[in-house]
Amino acid sequence: MVWSGTWVAERLGVELVGDERLTDLLGLALRRNPKRAHLLVSNVLGKHVPQSPAVVYGHGFALGRRVRELLGGDGGRYGSGGRGAVVLGYAETATGLGHAVADGLGLAPYLHSTRRPVEGVAPAGGFEESHSHATSHLLLPEDPALLAGDGPLVLVDDEFSTGNTVMNTIRDLHERYPRDRYVVVALVDMRSAADLGRLEGFAREIGARVDLVAAVSGTVRLPEGVLEKGQALVAEHESAVRRTESDSASGEASGHRSDEFGRIARVSLGWPGGLPDGGRHGFTPEHRVRLERALPTMAARLAEAIPGAARRVLVLGFEELMYAPLRLARELEQVVPAEVRFSTTTRSPVLAVDDPGYAIRSRIAFPAHDDPADGPGERYAYNVAGAGFDAVVAVVDSVADTPALHAPGGLLDRLADHTPHVLLAVVPSHVPAPRHVPERPAMLPEPLRGPAFSSYAPDEVGWLLQDLSDVTLEAPTEEREEAIQSGGAHYAESLPVEYQPSEQYQELFQAALETSAARIAQAVGVVTETILAERSPRPVLVSLARAGTPVGVLMRRWARYRHGIDVQHYAVSIVRGRGIDANALRYLADRYDPADIVFVDGWTGKGAITRELAEAIREFEESDGITGFDPEIAVLADPGSCVRTFGTREDFLIPSACLNSTVSGLISRTVLRADLVGPHDYHGAKFYRELAGADVSVAFLDTVSACFTEVEDAVDALTKELLSGDRAPTWEGWAAVERISEEYGIHDVNLVKPGVGETTRVLLRRVPWKILARSGAGADLDHVRLLAGQRGVPVELVDELPYTCVGLIHPKYTRGATGADGKAVTA
């Protein structure tokens, strides 16, 4: 097979020297550019050469994975690689590549430079690309804070040659937003020997670390006088190309196009509202999740519009708009029988020579159709004419869907001369919202993340809470309950003093964790697999802070371990008698499809929170008009038979129930108090930084996660059994609690706390009356017996108890006990 750089190499003496794969990835062509004669033409970039979308996306994604490994924090399976990183791609050629690198990195937001000014968006930076035909790059993030973090900045270009562009970028940004580390990513590293040391010297100059990641490396050897020879060759062949294009255009204008050609149809994609069309103003991992959720439907619409007889289809993107058409093409490639290829139009003027040894075999020229700020000009689509495509799907943004696009001699008209079917798909151009609109309420803040808030890693959970760490909210248990009763106050308006476990109790926790880790891992796997099978292939986990949060983190870890997907996870507050945090729901609804939200908790007792959540969602739908949230909670353990989605219905010891903040990221229970939480605020919570020495939050997660491998087969079998069985809630737990309430003369089900987890909470936070323990209960209750002994609470053995244990609170002994509305119950 002839290398697509042979023609240039033979005529100009240009050589590519380096890795064996270099000539597989690159061909050569001649630029119409006074600054550089040759053009390295990538075979895997999806710009000049139509290529399989899987190949194009795969190369970028693989580079992202390499960056993730390079930035790995602890290097383990759940390593912190890429945490806090931001990816920046270069227009126009590397906009899609940069997106794919960000996807491979997993958690990084993405921004690409642009040559399109946008009214109302102030540049956050800019730089010059000295060798390019179009030099000025703008950075226009919707959120200027995107570039202001202190994490690594990952800069992505298709080719790293002299390094000038990258160093110009870093120098400009480093003055505004200094950081400690930069990573340069390119498909090919083509620096000359003279340029090899410049990056290291530059890094020393600015006092930061600069790494380079490339798929292949090599260099270009250029003979003397290559620029002049190249310009002469271009002049020699360009006139012939122009005559061909002129003849083609005049034939179309005269109406001589064959009846077999010229069919142009518009296809409505159903692009999700509010989803950016790409990274011009920023593209977050949450945006990627929304896009992936919508891709199957959009690709199905395209597939339906493509003629069934088509055997070769091109999805053609538009200049900087590379990622959206690439992802559409990748999805289309999996659902149609035709061979699908992907490339994009470009500003770059390149000589076309119809020779197997030349990278640009054909050229379609047409006028710019997006009213560019730098004035009208010619644009190009390479290797499309004569390539035998039965259909071309042109994907443009709405700014470029102008009369010039549809005019005689415009892009669609020119494409129709070379393929029987042209389909137009328009993606809405993202227009950033005005930054100051007086009539609009303040935007809800982004979630709090560790290590600033909680001891969890920032990608493990985002807390939709406000930080009240500096507010004194705690009081001794008896004093607190006295205050609640005397004023009819709500239990969520204050916090109990955090229980500090004794050495003996900590030893019990560690023993319980070692004993039950595999059992918990199995339940985590089962509940996660059930969600993925029934609720959503890309769920957004929303744990009920704080007991549900360790479970949500473990479920997220399972999804990554077993399926390689990064599930988003947030923690929100729900308060008995007050409902769920409505502002948190508004934040979630603004960024995700409510149908993909899955609420997560640790366990069910009698099902009070299950009912509370259902009522709160109903009220939220009525007040905000936002529908689609499924109020059913997914839990690790459902001993009360209150939900359909669970890991087990056994009532066993979940060690995270044994402790308070020190197993929940050092976060307090949530607080809702009118003087601290306004109508546009999230509920509050405290971060107990001072307890870091006793924190076992991450150790708990890691111990359970380490058991994932050994429980995989059991998870598969149990999930299959559950999915095919009857899981309808029986609410037998509620019935048992009602019976116990009457038998013991309590007459309030809210003072009966069933199950190991709830009983532990009674002993840690409340003034308990007595503990009912099922006869024969073993090590699962060791910690309960110890706590009861420390507090002088009797443990009564009971036959045929439906739970392993039940904690009782009696109004005669607990003046501040709370009822269904969260307020004091008087004896």
Side-chain angles (χ1 to χ4, degrees):
M1 184 175 178
V2 179
W3 173 48
S4 63
T6 305
W7 193 93
V8 173
E10 289 177 347
R11 286 161 177 77
L12 293 184
V14 177
E15 293 182 80
L16 296 190
V17 181
D19 294 350
E20 291 182 358
R21 294 180 54 225
L22 200 58
T23 53
D24 292 334
L25 265 63
L26 296 176
L28 290 172
L30 295 180
R31 296 171 177 260
R32 290 191 286 134
N33 186 324
K35 300 178 182 179
R36 184 187 288 183
H38 69 282
L39 175 69
L40 298 176
V41 180
S42 173
N43 294 319
V44 298
L45 185 64
K47 175 53 72 172
H48 303 88
V49 179
Q51 178 59 273
S52 161
V55 171
V56 175
Y57 187 68
H59 273 80
F61 193 90
L63 284 170
R65 284 302 189 204
R66 287 181 55 189
V67 176
R68 184 186 180 96
E69 292 173 9
L70 175 69
L71 299 177
D74 55 22
R77 175 179 292 158
Y78 309 106
S80 56
R83 193 167 290 141
V86 175
V87 180
L88 174 63
Y90 287 92
E92 66 177 53
T93 308
T95 57
L97 177 66
H99 260 294
V101 169
D103 288 356
L105 195 50
L107 296 168
Y110 176 64
L111 176 73
H112 69 70
S113 65
T114 180
R115 296 191 176 100
R116 179 195 289 177
V118 178
E119 185 177 354
V121 183
F127 52 91
E128 297 296 312
E129 187 176 5
S130 57
H131 67 266
S132 174
H133 60 282
T135 59
S136 296
H137 288 249
L138 299 171
L139 297 177
L140 303 176
E142 184 168 9
D143 179 5
L146 186 66
L147 292 170
D150 57 4
L153 181 65
V154 181
L155 302 101
V156 183
D157 208 351
D158 59 315
E159 168 195 341
F160 191 65
S161 50
T162 65
N164 287 336
T165 301
V166 165
M167 287 186 284
N168 286 342
T169 310
I170 294 176
R171 184 175 283 108
D172 177 81
L173 291 176
H174 197 71
E175 291 177 359
R176 301 167 184 243
Y177 318 107
R179 62 187 74 223
D180 296 329
R181 191 169 188 182
Y182 298 87
V183 181
V184 180
V185 181
L187 283 171
V188 292
D189 173 11
M190 300 299 289
R191 287 175 293 173
S192 67
D195 288 324
L196 285 176
R198 295 181 64 209
L199 196 62
E200 291 79 2
F202 175 73
R204 289 192 297 272
E205 174 191 328
I206 65 171
R209 176 175 173 177
V210 183
D211 296 293
L212 175 65
V213 174
V216 297
S217 61
T219 189
V220 184
R221 291 180 180 170
L222 301 173
E224 288 290 331
V226 68
L227 181 58
E228 293 76 13
K229 290 180 181 178
Q231 289 174 337
L233 266 177
V234 170
E236 176 186 340
H237 289 81
E238 184 66 24
S239 58
V241 174
R242 285 295 179 194
R243 283 196 301 271
T244 302
E245 291 174 344
S246 177
D247 292 344
S248 174
S250 64
E252 294 160 16
S254 301
H256 294 307
R257 183 181 294 139
S258 165
D259 289 341
E260 297 178 5
F261 293 84
R263 301 188 185 95
I264 301 173
R266 185 184 289 267
V267 181
S268 174
L269 288 173
W271 187 266
L275 178 65
D277 52 300
R280 180 178 286 111
H281 305 298
F283 199 88
T284 67
E286 289 82 2
H287 291 145
R288 176 162 62 95
V289 170
R290 287 192 66 199
L291 175 61
E292 289 177 346
R293 189 166 54 234
L295 279 171
T297 300
M298 293 192 290
R301 294 186 177 197
L302 288 177
E304 186 178 357
I306 293 171
R311 290 294 171 262
R312 187 169 163 81
V313 176
L314 173 68
V315 176
L316 183 68
F318 159 64
E319 297 186 25
E320 294 176 10
L321 185 71
M322 294 187 71
Y323 182 67
L326 172 60
R327 297 304 306 275
L328 286 166
R330 178 71 186 99
E331 195 73 24
L332 190 66
E333 188 175 36
Q334 300 177 71
V335 298
V336 297
E339 177 187 89
V340 177
R341 290 292 179 262
F342 167 76
S343 65
T344 67
T345 64
T346 176
R347 288 173 165 234
S348 179
V350 186
L351 177 69
V353 178
D354 190 11
D355 187 287
Y358 190 81
I360 303 295
R361 302 287 299 276
S362 67
R363 180 179 77 197
I364 295 175
F366 55 93
H369 53 88
D370 60 339
D371 191 23
D374 54 356
E378 201 168 53
R379 303 293 185 260
Y380 311 95
Y382 295 112
N383 292 316
V384 177
F389 291 112
D390 301 308
V392 175
V393 181
V395 182
V396 304
D397 59 17
S398 54
V399 166
D401 184 19
T402 62
L405 175 68
H406 301 264
L411 173 60
L412 300 183
D413 187 51
R414 296 303 318 279
L415 289 173
D417 192 46
H418 300 285
T419 183
H421 300 277
V422 177
L423 305 177
L424 174 63
V426 179
V427 177
S429 300
H430 180 60
V431 180
R435 296 205 59 78
H436 300 289
V437 181
E439 297 80 11
R440 183 175 180 177
M443 295 294 289
L444 290 167
E446 290 299 305
L448 302 172
R449 294 184 184 273
F453 187 84
S454 90
S455 60
Y456 291 134
D459 60 322
E460 301 267 38
V461 59
W463 302 85
L464 293 175
L465 298 170
Q466 64 165 314
D467 188 354
L468 299 180
S469 301
D470 297 330
V471 182
T472 301
L473 295 165
E474 297 82 4
T477 302
E478 295 286 355
E479 179 183 322
R480 173 175 174 266
E481 294 199 354
E482 176 71 31
I484 291 173
Q485 183 186 19
S486 63
H490 195 281
Y491 79 92
E493 295 177 356
S494 60
L495 292 174
V497 175
E498 281 286 301
Y499 169 73
Q500 298 301 301
S502 64
E503 184 176 345
Q504 183 183 6
Y505 189 82
Q506 289 175 328
E507 290 173 356
L508 275 176
F509 168 81
Q510 293 297 337
L513 179 56
E514 292 171 10
T515 302
S516 61
R519 195 175 182 184
I520 297 168
Q522 179 176 293
V524 167
V526 170
V527 69
T528 309
E529 293 296 330
T530 302
I531 286 170
L532 294 172
E534 291 189 335
R535 302 281 285 271
S536 171
R538 291 281 180 176
V540 178
L541 302 179
V542 177
S543 59
L544 303 182
R546 65 186 167 183
T549 304
V551 178
V553 174
L554 286 169
M555 292 169 66
R556 183 182 182 280
R557 287 188 173 193
W558 177 273
R560 183 192 296 174
Y561 164 78
R562 194 68 191 279
H563 301 285
I565 57 176
D566 283 319
V567 173
Q568 297 299 309
H569 174 215
Y570 299 90
V572 303
S573 168
I574 187 169
V575 175
R576 184 158 48 86
R578 301 280 183 87
I580 198 166
D581 187 338
N583 284 316
L585 293 184
R586 293 178 188 115
Y587 175 94
L588 294 166
D590 186 55
R591 287 156 178 81
Y592 304 100
D593 183 345
D596 286 331
I597 302 296
V598 179
F599 295 102
V600 173
D601 208 356
W603 55 85
T604 63
K606 55 185 173 288
I609 290 298
T610 303
R611 296 185 177 193
E612 183 79 38
L613 180 60
E615 178 62 19
I617 294 297
R618 185 190 65 76
E619 292 178 357
F620 178 75
E621 289 179 345
E622 290 181 358
S623 65
D624 283 55
I626 298 173
T627 61
F629 286 107
D630 186 341
E632 185 178 35
I633 305 174
V635 296
L636 199 63
D638 180 36
S641 187
C642 306
V643 297
R644 291 186 70 259
T645 308
F646 52 84
T648 178
R649 275 185 169 155
E650 297 179 21
D651 182 21
F652 72 100
L653 172 61
I654 300 172
S656 60
C658 294
L659 300 170
N660 284 323
S661 68
T662 52
V663 79
S664 304
L666 299 181
I667 301 301
S668 74
R669 207 200 58 227
T670 60
V671 174
L672 180 59
R673 207 169 83 189
D675 61 326
L676 298 173
V677 180
H680 301 298
D681 294 330
Y682 298 132
H683 294 186
K686 299 186 74 168
F687 175 25
Y688 292 119
R689 298 170 179 83
E690 65 276 14
L691 300 181
D695 188 24
V696 294
S697 303
V698 176
F700 170 72
L701 299 173
D702 289 347
T703 302
V704 175
S705 302
C707 297
F708 284 171
T709 303
E710 68 183 81
V711 302
E712 283 188 81
D713 292 342
V715 167
D716 289 342
L718 286 170
T719 304
K720 184 177 180 181
E721 181 181 338
L722 281 177
L723 290 174
S724 61
D726 181 12
R727 289 173 285 133
T730 64
W731 294 90
E732 60 187 71
W734 190 278
V737 166
E738 288 181 325
R739 176 175 55 79
I740 292 170
S741 175
E742 295 307 309
E743 285 182 4
Y744 284 82
I746 299 173
H747 309 302
D748 188 332
V749 293
N750 292 288
L751 306 182
V752 180
K753 305 295 184 180
V756 179
E758 291 302 302
T759 300
T760 304
R761 285 179 166 186
V762 169
L763 289 164
L764 291 178
R765 304 181 193 172
R766 306 297 294 276
V767 180
W769 176 34
K770 64 176 63 178
I771 305 300
L772 309 182
R774 187 167 59 202
S775 298
D780 275 349
L781 293 189
D782 283 350
H783 75 294
V784 169
R785 297 185 186 98
L786 177 62
L787 284 174
Q790 289 176 345
R791 300 198 61 180
V793 178
V795 178
E796 180 179 320
L797 297 180
V798 178
D799 294 326
E800 299 180 0
L801 192 66
Y803 295 91
T804 303
C805 60
V806 176
L808 302 183
I809 306 169
H810 199 295
K812 291 179 180 178
Y813 298 91
T814 318
R815 295 174 298 174
T818 57
D821 61 355
K823 294 187 177 180
V825 175
T826 55

